[in-house]
Amino acid sequence: MTATIAAPDSPPQTLPRTPPWIAVAAGVVACALALTGSGAATLNGDELATLSAARRDIPGMWELAQHIDGHFLPYYLFMHFWTMLGESELWLRLPSAVAIGVAAAFLVALGRRLHGLTAGLTAAALFAVLPSVSYYGAFARSYAFAAAAVTISFWCLHRARWVRYAVSVAFIGCTHLFAVLVLPAHLALLRRGTRSMVLAMAAGFVPAAVLGLIGYGERHAISWIPQRGPDVLLKFPKMAAGASEIGLLLFAVALVGAVLMVRQDTRWGLALTGWLVLPPVLLLAVSHLVTPVYVDRYLFVTAPALALLAAIAVAELPRFAVPAAVGLTLAAGALAVPQHLEIREPNGRFEDVPSAIRRLEFEPGDAIVYGQSSLRTGFDYYATAEMPDDVLREGTAPAADSFAYPERPDVAAALDGRERVWLVWRGAKDADLPAIEKVRRAGFDRAQAWHSADTPGLTVALYKRQTSLP
């Protein structure tokens, strides 16, 4: 049975009350699923950047924000206080898993209000089995927070609670700058006399505007992002779901749900459809009009919409809604098994630092040089025994304006008297990095190399001093 839908600026209509514990239970299950295996996959470079930022004092984080990752400042501030209680992999990732649980709980509530309890529970179940949810739910970055904030904002819109809605919009901007690309979908709910909604959205948008200006001034920090063409949108279902098969299945069902929702209520149908499809289109537009910014993980906020629209589609089936919902969830879960296993492997985040450390079969007097100095954060975090001599390192803390570490400029002098040097870098064996060239010029040749076989992965190479001919 379809639930009655409230319009913005109209009094919320009464719906049959559902015990809150149902939504809470769905959230707990989703949180638990996201947590499973979070201690198996090692922290990657982005997560270690979170740790590096969180370890700084408040003035230090402000200094960092003026040069790089300024739009992440609210998240870094939260993690600064969170890490006061611990820095284990599980502890660093726990907030993201909780955020996934919050998103799932609000999906139940929103789905119930839009269509019924079956739609809400199915949406939460589909959301929980997505490989992308397991990935970002065990990822020490703010993407899961963004998905939760966006879901809450739609729930607040349906409740027509404008103070809460303004707070949720502000929360969206504070979680990730490009999460605000979902806000144009809210405009589908505008109608004559919705002054309160406009004012609430404008007030809530202030943090995003401030962080956007900071981010624009730091766009050099994302110069590594390549320009993408329209064909990248064909990969969107895979990105949203975390795997091709489940992504294509749910996207097809979600399109059916979008059509059905538009027929039931045009404004809410367009709003939910916009939630799913506008962010990738707008992100691509920003990439071509301002600077390349199209990165898959910036679009994780669309995952709840994918699950919700697919759930509405199956909930519409007369007399077969529950069996169809169970069947779709089981099919989606079965299709995603390989990806779930992959992201729970030690190299599930594509930078297995502990394995790289185990490859360092070093001898007394060996040196180590990092292709990217920021890799020290990970090697310091995971090293459990002595390491080769870090001959370039100056001080123990990273630079105030970046995640890199101050280093001695003269590599040849630092390696003087050394016969063997281990070189570690992010990327393939054939990467062309200044550090590699400097080691070669210092008189060393590569003797062996190992790469983790994933992109970008880590490479560990042993270089030996060239033998002089008699």
Side-chain angles (χ1 to χ4, degrees):
M1 179 178 180
T2 302
T4 304
I5 299 172
D9 267 20
S10 64
Q13 301 182 27
T14 303
L15 291 172
R17 182 170 178 80
T18 301
W21 67 264
I22 295 179
V24 173
V28 170
V29 171
C31 174
L33 288 175
L35 274 178
T36 58
S38 65
T42 59
L43 301 176
N44 74 357
D46 285 340
E47 295 178 285
L48 291 166
T50 295
L51 180 61
S52 176
R55 284 173 168 173
R56 306 174 194 222
D57 56 21
I58 303 298
M61 280 189 285
W62 174 242
E63 176 68 23
L64 177 70
Q66 295 179 66
H67 298 88
I68 187 173
D69 275 4
H71 61 288
F72 277 117
L73 182 59
Y75 176 69
Y76 288 160
L77 283 170
F78 167 77
M79 292 300 292
H80 170 74
F81 294 102
W82 183 261
T83 55
M84 289 181 178
L85 301 176
E87 293 185 353
S88 69
E89 293 170 341
L90 180 61
W91 187 251
L92 290 172
R93 291 165 170 169
L94 180 59
S96 292
V98 173
I100 289 298
V102 171
F106 276 90
L107 269 181
V108 173
L110 179 60
R112 181 186 72 87
R113 298 185 67 84
L114 290 173
H115 195 281
L117 185 57
T118 299
L121 289 174
T122 305
L126 291 173
F127 180 67
V129 301
L130 294 178
S132 59
V133 169
S134 285
Y135 188 96
Y136 293 110
F139 196 61
R141 297 295 273 180
S142 63
Y143 305 113
F145 284 74
V150 168
T151 307
I152 293 171
S153 72
F154 276 92
W155 178 83
C156 291
L157 272 174
H158 197 277
R159 294 290 302 272
R161 302 294 177 87
W162 303 121
V163 173
R164 296 180 186 180
Y165 173 64
V167 172
S168 69
V169 172
F171 187 29
I172 291 173
C174 290
T175 55
H176 194 268
L177 180 59
F178 292 114
V180 300
L181 296 179
V182 79
L183 293 181
H186 291 187
L187 300 179
L189 298 171
L190 280 174
R191 60 176 66 191
R192 186 175 301 175
T194 53
R195 181 170 175 268
S196 298
M197 176 182 170
V198 174
L199 292 176
M201 180 184 287
F205 192 74
V206 171
V210 174
L211 293 171
L213 289 173
I214 294 174
Y216 182 77
E218 299 173 351
R219 60 192 183 279
H220 63 278
I222 55 173
S223 59
W224 55 269
I225 300 177
Q227 187 62 276
R228 305 292 181 89
D231 59 303
V232 75
L233 297 177
L234 297 176
K235 301 177 182 178
F236 172 66
K238 174 185 177 181
M239 182 287 308
S244 297
E245 294 81 2
I246 184 177
L248 292 173
L249 170 65
L250 291 185
F251 196 79
V253 179
L255 290 179
V256 175
V259 172
L260 294 172
M261 195 66 203
V262 168
R263 288 180 176 178
Q264 286 181 17
D265 186 285
T266 302
R267 287 184 175 87
W268 268 100
L270 292 176
L272 295 184
T273 305
W275 180 3
L276 177 63
V277 302
L278 280 180
V281 173
L282 294 177
L283 189 64
L284 186 62
V286 172
S287 294
H288 285 272
L289 295 174
V290 184
T291 189
V293 292
Y294 196 101
V295 178
D296 289 348
R297 58 181 176 270
Y298 295 170
L299 299 170
F300 178 61
V301 293
T302 62
L306 178 67
L308 180 56
L309 284 170
I312 289 173
V314 297
E316 270 291 301
L317 294 174
R319 297 187 301 275
F320 297 103
V322 173
V326 173
L328 181 62
T329 303
L330 291 176
L335 288 173
V337 167
Q339 286 73 30
H340 279 292
L341 295 177
E342 180 181 336
I343 63 179
R344 286 166 171 79
E345 294 176 351
N347 199 33
R349 303 297 180 270
F350 312 116
E351 288 185 27
D352 187 357
V353 175
S355 290
I357 291 176
R358 289 192 292 270
R359 293 282 173 172
L360 296 172
E361 300 174 353
F362 61 93
E363 300 173 358
D366 283 5
I368 188 169
V369 172
Y370 294 95
Q372 300 93 359
S373 66
S374 59
L375 287 174
R376 286 185 178 86
T377 302
F379 279 72
D380 288 348
Y381 181 84
Y382 283 108
T384 58
E386 292 186 4
M387 292 279 290
D389 299 331
D390 192 348
V391 293
L392 299 183
R393 187 169 189 163
E394 290 187 336
T396 58
D401 59 353
S402 71
F403 299 111
Y405 286 75
E407 292 185 329
R408 294 177 56 181
D410 191 344
V411 175
L415 294 176
D416 186 36
R418 306 280 179 167
E419 295 298 321
R420 295 165 26 120
V421 55
W422 293 90
L423 197 54
V424 181
W425 65 86
R426 182 183 293 113
K429 292 180 182 180
D430 58 355
D432 184 16
L433 298 173
I436 300 174
E437 183 60 28
K438 289 177 181 179
V439 169
R440 288 172 178 164
R441 289 180 180 178
F444 290 83
D445 289 327
R446 183 186 296 184
Q448 64 185 56
W450 167 87
H451 183 256
S452 59
D454 289 294
T455 303
L458 293 173
T459 296
V460 177
L462 172 63
Y463 283 74
K464 295 183 179 180
R465 187 173 291 280
Q466 298 168 359
T467 304
S468 300
L469 295 175

